[in-house]
Amino acid sequence: MIITDIENKIISNISKIVTDQFEVTIDVELEKPKDIKNGSFSTNTAMKLTKELKRNPREIATIIVENYETDEYIEKIEIAGPGFINFYTTAKYTNDILTSIDQNYGQHKPLENGKYLVEYVSANPTGDLHLGHARGGAYGDALIRIMRKAGYDVTSEYYINDAGNQMNNLGMSVQFFYLEKLGIEIEFPADGYRGQDIQTIAENIYNEFGDSKKDETVEFYTEFGYAHNLEEIKKILGAINIGFDNWVSERRLYADKEVENALTTLEESGDLYDADGAKWLRTSKYYDEKDRTIQKSDGAFTYFAADIAYHINKYNRGYDHLIDIWGADHHGYVARVKSSIESLGHDANAFEVPLIQMVSILNDGAAVKMSKRAGTSVTIKDLLKEIDSEALRYFFVMRSPDTQLDFDIKVAKEQSMDNPMYYIQYANARISSVLNDCEKKGITKASELSEISELEAEVINHLSIYPKVISESANKRLPHMICNYLYDLAALFHKYYNQERVFVEDPKVAENKMLMYTSIKHVLVSGLDVLGIVAKDEM
């Protein structure tokens, strides 16, 4: 990418000048000022050298500038403030940036930093997916897309929690509603689920089998409900454009003896010990506040044991970096899993857990409570009846995952500039309309801009930082950076659209605008795509 090449060249040149003139080395930092009046690039190198060289930063900056040779891309260099060095680029640089923007703009070369596995959603298959799952799913899927754009080797995975008491509770709940439909009274299970989705499963059994399953064991109802719910999970996630490379079953970990084998592996580490008839892991040796039980005195494994086996499974499949996306209510679980990873001999720093804060939703001004057992949960299905899937995805990633999200259905539904999703999509639709008009008039895109207005330079400057935003968003695991970038780009475009007309007497104006509009569209489409959203050409 031109932008990267120029940055690297400037950094290299400054580094050489510093070494030659001051006989020291320094890590040169380069940034793009938000205001193009401060140049296309800026560095604080002179100020960083002040303490070591014991010289005035402006004096240091002057020596650097005097020894820097400009080229076809650098028009002039100025010193600003206490010693910032600002680089102003030529029209050739601006045009080369603009004409380099195509459908693949922002795609980075493959990184050589190992294989990444990102696990997210991983909801128990005991009912409908709620808004917390939606936020985690939208975040995880966007992160996967952004990391791939940034050059990461990354795989997505859903861990099916299909073992344990919750599955038995599912079966007993379905059995209750099925028998109730037959007029047979039994006691509702203490930890059962009352949701409409559970009642629907019972109705499906009745519609398919009539009363012939009234004497079946709980296992039948569990398996029927499990198959139904897993298919529903895949269906509803597909409706919001979320898919997974891998689906891993907790049951398989038990069936393949991986949970049992995990104990053997932990014993070899020396961190497993017996106490009170149970087996414990010395997690307090690492990051946890206390040790944790792996196997109970009755021989039953804890959930923690299965989680350890699952992470061993991940490493055994060749992944170097693990990213588990969990709800914020699981924050207390991070230290114990991190400790188990350290105990297994892996780098705990290569294990990350972005925590997704809860989602609050208002219904006529009143908060809707979320309880799967009570059956009053707001589900993804419910929300999709009110807004389209793309608005749902955007609103769930537009804020940092570590902040609580108040989801405003009214704003998400609005077809107005107050809706940020609409605001961005409308920019793309406007561009599409103008480009269609140009095509009808036989106007072709300019190969480069004959003249560059101040506003155009501002737009191009913003377009130029897109690859870096992709990289930073991926590295920091923050998809909302893309939302912020796209919103700012849409704002610049709408300003550009309103201030500078396309169709005037001079045909070159329209040709220049076609080049500008096409480049902006490429970035809008690309940015929406990494958020899992399809750009709309009509609104």
Side-chain angles (χ1 to χ4, degrees):
M1 298 176 187
I2 292 175
I3 182 72
T4 304
D5 294 341
I6 297 304
E7 285 181 333
N8 291 339
K9 185 175 181 180
I10 294 174
I11 290 171
S12 177
N13 287 346
I14 294 175
S15 298
K16 187 176 185 305
I17 292 170
V18 168
T19 300
D20 292 345
Q21 297 297 317
F22 306 111
E23 298 182 347
V24 298
T25 59
I26 187 173
D27 291 329
V28 177
E29 297 177 353
L30 205 63
E31 64 176 24
K32 288 188 70 65
K34 291 183 179 180
D35 189 343
I36 60 172
K37 292 178 181 178
N38 295 320
S40 296
F41 302 101
S42 181
T43 182
N44 64 348
T45 300
M47 289 178 286
K48 288 175 64 177
L49 287 168
T50 298
K51 186 175 181 180
E52 183 174 0
L53 299 180
K54 296 181 174 57
R55 298 174 70 169
N56 183 285
R58 286 189 68 92
E59 179 186 343
I60 298 171
T62 299
I63 294 172
I64 293 174
V65 171
E66 287 177 347
N67 285 274
Y68 196 105
E69 294 184 10
T70 57
D71 54 29
E72 62 179 350
Y73 285 142
I74 303 300
E75 183 175 10
K76 64 178 180 177
I77 310 171
E78 293 182 351
I79 301 171
F84 288 103
I85 302 174
N86 297 334
F87 294 81
Y88 294 81
T89 51
T90 62
K92 176 175 174 50
Y93 166 82
T94 304
N95 264 312
D96 283 358
I97 287 291
L98 189 63
T99 55
S100 72
I101 297 174
D102 58 14
Q103 294 91 334
N104 297 315
Y105 185 63
Q107 180 63 56
H108 292 253
K109 295 178 181 178
L111 299 172
E112 296 180 0
N113 58 352
K115 295 178 65 177
Y116 284 73
L117 181 66
V118 181
E119 178 222 328
Y120 52 102
V121 183
S122 298
N124 298 335
T126 55
D128 284 336
L129 298 179
H130 58 64
L131 300 190
H133 300 135
R135 189 179 191 188
Y139 169 83
D141 190 73
L143 180 60
I144 285 283
R145 293 166 182 267
I146 295 166
M147 289 180 72
R148 285 175 178 159
K149 190 82 170 176
Y152 285 81
D153 180 355
V154 59
T155 301
S156 62
E157 185 158 291
Y158 188 115
Y159 179 51
I160 311 169
N161 291 271
D162 51 7
N165 289 332
Q166 78 272 7
M167 297 304 296
N168 195 46
N169 292 334
L170 168 66
M172 290 190 295
S173 302
V174 173
Q175 181 186 44
F176 172 84
F177 286 111
Y178 173 70
L179 295 180
E180 182 183 60
K181 191 169 185 65
L182 298 180
I184 301 173
E185 294 186 7
I186 63 170
E187 186 177 351
F188 187 79
D191 294 318
Y193 306 117
R194 292 185 179 276
Q196 180 57 52
D197 54 308
I198 304 299
Q199 298 177 48
T200 298
I201 296 170
E203 290 175 4
N204 290 345
I205 295 175
Y206 177 79
N207 292 336
E208 185 173 349
F209 301 106
D211 64 357
S212 65
K213 298 298 180 181
K214 61 184 178 181
D215 296 323
E216 287 284 354
T217 63
V218 172
E219 184 179 5
F220 166 79
Y221 300 102
T222 298
E223 293 307 309
F224 194 98
Y226 170 45
H228 173 275
N229 284 342
L230 187 58
E231 187 59 33
E232 281 295 302
I233 286 173
K234 293 180 178 180
K235 181 179 178 182
I236 199 64
L237 289 174
I240 53 177
N241 199 20
I242 295 174
F244 294 87
D245 299 313
N246 301 331
W247 294 76
V248 176
S249 165
E250 182 182 357
R251 287 182 175 185
R252 293 304 311 168
L253 298 179
Y254 283 98
D256 295 341
K257 306 296 183 181
E258 292 192 48
V259 180
E260 292 180 24
N261 294 338
L263 264 68
T264 303
T265 304
L266 291 171
E267 284 176 348
E268 294 172 354
S269 74
D271 290 332
L272 197 67
Y273 66 93
D274 294 325
D276 302 323
K279 291 186 180 297
W280 297 71
L281 183 65
R282 290 189 178 89
T283 50
S284 62
K285 176 181 174 181
Y286 302 101
Y287 306 98
D288 207 359
E289 60 184 2
K290 61 181 180 180
D291 294 344
R292 303 292 176 176
T293 311
I294 300 297
Q295 190 174 27
K296 302 176 184 177
S297 57
D298 63 1
F301 293 107
T302 63
Y303 288 121
F304 186 32
D307 285 337
I308 293 172
Y310 176 40
H311 287 82
I312 292 174
N313 176 281
K314 291 180 178 182
Y315 286 118
N316 288 343
R317 284 184 279 143
Y319 295 103
D320 306 293
H321 304 270
L322 308 182
I323 301 177
D324 291 6
I325 299 171
W326 297 347
D329 54 333
H330 287 74
H331 68 92
Y333 209 73
V334 177
R336 71 186 70 173
V337 176
K338 188 176 180 181
S339 296
S340 70
I341 286 172
E342 192 86 12
S343 178
L344 292 167
H346 295 283
D347 182 7
N349 292 320
F351 171 65
E352 305 172 44
V353 184
L355 294 173
I356 309 297
Q357 289 294 331
M358 297 299 292
V359 178
S360 296
I361 187 168
L362 301 179
N363 182 12
D364 292 332
V368 178
K369 295 181 179 180
M370 299 181 187
S371 170
K372 191 179 293 186
R373 288 195 175 91
T376 58
S377 169
V378 175
T379 68
I380 299 177
K381 285 182 184 178
D382 296 330
L383 202 55
L384 287 176
K385 294 175 183 176
E386 299 291 333
I387 64 172
D388 65 41
S389 62
E390 293 178 341
L392 183 148
R393 286 188 65 111
Y394 183 87
F395 274 78
F396 277 125
V397 297
M398 67 182 286
R399 298 282 182 262
S400 177
D402 60 2
T403 60
Q404 184 164 328
L405 177 66
D406 292 326
F407 194 97
D408 190 332
I409 292 181
K410 181 181 178 182
V411 173
K413 291 173 64 175
E414 282 184 356
Q415 299 290 298
S416 75
M417 294 298 204
D418 292 330
N419 179 344
M421 176 76 264
Y422 181 89
Y423 189 71
I424 295 168
Q425 289 279 27
Y426 190 50
N428 184 69
R430 269 182 159 178
I431 292 172
S432 297
S433 176
V434 171
L435 293 180
N436 286 336
D437 288 343
C438 287
E439 185 177 349
K440 291 176 182 177
K441 295 176 183 291
I443 300 171
T444 57
K445 181 178 69 176
S447 58
E448 63 177 35
L449 297 184
S450 52
E451 293 183 6
I452 302 173
S453 69
E454 185 174 319
L455 182 52
E456 284 171 335
E458 187 177 357
V459 173
I460 296 169
N461 184 61
H462 193 68
L463 293 174
S464 73
I465 69 172
Y466 178 63
K468 196 165 189 176
V469 173
I470 288 289
S471 179
E472 289 184 359
S473 177
N475 295 343
K476 294 178 180 179
R477 320 293 192 237
L478 295 176
H480 77 280
M481 292 179 66
I482 304 299
C483 296
N484 295 342
Y485 173 85
L486 291 176
Y487 187 87
D488 290 343
L489 177 58
L492 280 172
F493 168 74
H494 290 305
K495 179 181 178 181
Y496 181 49
Y497 177 89
N498 291 327
Q499 286 189 12
E500 299 193 14
R501 295 176 60 193
V502 176
F503 301 112
V504 294
E505 187 174 341
D506 185 355
K508 289 184 178 179
V509 172
E511 292 172 1
N512 287 345
K513 293 295 186 292
M514 276 195 76
L515 175 58
M516 284 290 297
Y517 278 32
T518 301
S519 298
I520 296 169
K521 182 177 177 63
H522 281 317
V523 176
L524 286 173
V525 171
S526 174
L528 289 171
D529 181 65
V530 296
L531 296 178
I533 297 169
V534 177
K536 295 181 180 179
D537 289 332
E538 296 181 359
M539 299 290 286

